[in-house]
Every structure is written in C-alpha cells, then in structure tokens.
C-alpha cells in the first residue's frame, strides 16, 4: 500500500480533472448534517473515474480569526454545517468559497479576515474558537475514485451492500 501526499485544489471540478490525469481522487459526497452534496454527485456523471471504495471521517470545524474580523470565509457546504455559530456573527460578512483550503488562504491574506475550516488546517498561531459545527457528531463520507473499474465481487448474502440508484427521465416535465 502506497502513501500519497495530499494535493489541495480550489474546487471539486479541479479535483475530478486532476484525478483523471493522476488516476485517483477523493470526493466528499455526503455529510451527516448536510446530506448529499448534489453538485458533487453530478460530477460523478461527468468523469471516467470509478468508485473504488469509501471512507467516513469525523469532521470538526473551528473558527479562526484576526482581531476585529469583518469577513468570514466559509466553504458553501461547511456554512450549512455551522449555521448556529454564524447566527451569532451577523455583523461579519459571509464570503462563500469553493473549498475549505480556499477559505483558509483568503483568511491568511485578509487583515480583517476570519474563516471556518476543518481542524487539521488550524495552526498554533491562529486565534481560534474550537468546535463550531451545529453538532459534535459530524461525519463526512468520501468516495475514493480511480481510473480502474472495480473487479466484480461474487454476491455474498451475509455481506451488506450499498446501492445507489440514479433515475434520469427521458423527458423533463
């Protein structure tokens, strides 16, 4: 098993595009607080990558800020997982971003900035309020995609299976 360094990109479309050239990608697809991420589901239809497996990770968001923040940078799915916290920060302008890494970079470059980011991005020098998710039990399911179709397994009635069904009407009405 090979350990690969993470490559952070600005959007999920870039993740898919880069994944097609590298042969693998990791795509967040569902969150316990937010549900399915529809735009990410749509990306699965536009790629030649195949679902290989999935992982479920606990996600904790922290609020990092500079003195007297005027703007909070937050990724569009992250925002909905932290609405209770944001209700108490109505004086600050919410700026939606494409990714958590983009939120962090914008915060770094803004002297009056703040951001809501996953805990692993927080540095010891950051001013921080920990645990700003709506609920402490927050998990995200990620799909591991690669360019090799998974080999078909034989059906085992004692093994649980997941099935996703996509219905696309021939006529939109």
């Amino acid at each position: 098993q090979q350990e690969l360094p993470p490559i952070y990109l600005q959007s999920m479309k870039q993740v898919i595009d880069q994944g097609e050239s590298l042969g693998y990608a990791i795509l967040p697809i569902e969150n316990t607080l937010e549900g399915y991420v529809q735009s990410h589901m749509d990306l699965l239809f536009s790629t030649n990558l195949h679902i290989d497996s999935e992982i479920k990770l606990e996600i904790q968001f922290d609020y990092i800020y500079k003195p007297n923040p005027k703007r909070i940078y937050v990724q569009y799915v992250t925002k909905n997982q932290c609405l209770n916290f944001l209700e108490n920060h109505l004086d600050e302008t919410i700026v939606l971003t494409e990714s958590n890494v983009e939120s962090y970079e914008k915060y770094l470059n803004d002297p009056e900035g703040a951001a809501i980011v996953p805990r692993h991005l927080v540095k010891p020098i950051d001013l921080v309020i920990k645990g700003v998710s709506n609920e402490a039990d927050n998990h995200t399911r990620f799909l591991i995609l690669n360019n090799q179709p998974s080999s078909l397994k034989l059906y085992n009635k004692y093994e649980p299976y997941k099935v996703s069904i996509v219905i696309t009407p021939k006529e939109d009405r």
Side-chain angles (χ1 to χ4, degrees):
Q1 188 167 340
Q2 180 182 357
E3 187 171 318
L4 301 170
I7 301 170
Y8 295 109
L9 300 168
Q10 295 297 321
S11 71
M12 287 302 121
K13 174 75 169 98
Q14 289 177 354
V15 168
I16 293 298
D17 291 345
Q18 184 78 18
E20 287 179 342
S21 64
L22 290 175
Y24 68 92
I26 299 175
L27 184 71
I29 200 74
E30 179 185 24
N31 177 266
T32 52
L33 301 179
E34 184 62 10
Y36 280 101
V37 184
Q38 186 61 49
S39 60
H40 298 187
M41 295 282 287
D42 292 343
L43 285 171
L44 290 174
F45 294 107
S46 67
T47 184
N48 293 320
L49 295 172
H50 305 274
I51 298 171
D52 180 70
S53 56
E54 69 178 31
I55 54 174
K56 185 176 168 184
L57 298 176
E58 180 181 1
I59 304 295
Q60 290 297 323
F61 291 108
D62 293 341
Y63 173 77
I64 53 177
Y65 61 98
K66 295 182 181 157
N68 304 312
K70 302 276 189 281
R71 286 164 293 287
I72 301 174
Y73 299 99
V74 61
Q75 192 256 4
Y76 60 95
V77 179
T78 300
K79 174 184 171 270
N80 292 336
Q81 296 173 56
C82 302
L83 288 175
N84 294 342
F85 177 81
L86 290 170
E87 290 280 323
N88 297 317
H89 290 267
L90 298 176
D91 293 342
E92 297 161 56
T93 302
I94 305 297
V95 180
L96 295 180
T97 64
E98 287 292 316
S99 72
N100 290 309
V101 171
E102 181 185 359
S103 295
Y104 186 73
E105 289 171 353
K106 287 188 177 290
Y107 150 79
L108 288 176
N109 295 317
D110 185 345
E112 296 178 321
I116 295 177
V117 295
R119 186 160 290 157
H120 73 273
L121 290 177
V122 177
K123 306 289 185 260
I125 61 168
D126 293 320
L127 297 173
V128 62
I129 298 174
K130 292 186 175 283
V132 298
S133 299
N134 288 350
E135 294 180 22
D137 186 24
N138 187 21
H139 291 82
T140 296
R141 185 166 64 105
F142 295 82
L143 296 179
I144 312 302
L145 308 173
N146 68 36
N147 58 5
Q148 300 297 317
S150 298
S151 60
L152 294 174
K153 294 182 189 178
L154 295 176
Y155 175 72
N156 177 347
K157 68 180 181 178
Y158 301 106
E159 183 178 331
Y161 287 90
K162 283 187 178 178
V163 175
S164 296
I165 299 174
V166 177
I167 299 172
T168 305
K170 286 186 174 187
E171 184 180 329
D172 187 9
R173 54 190 160 103

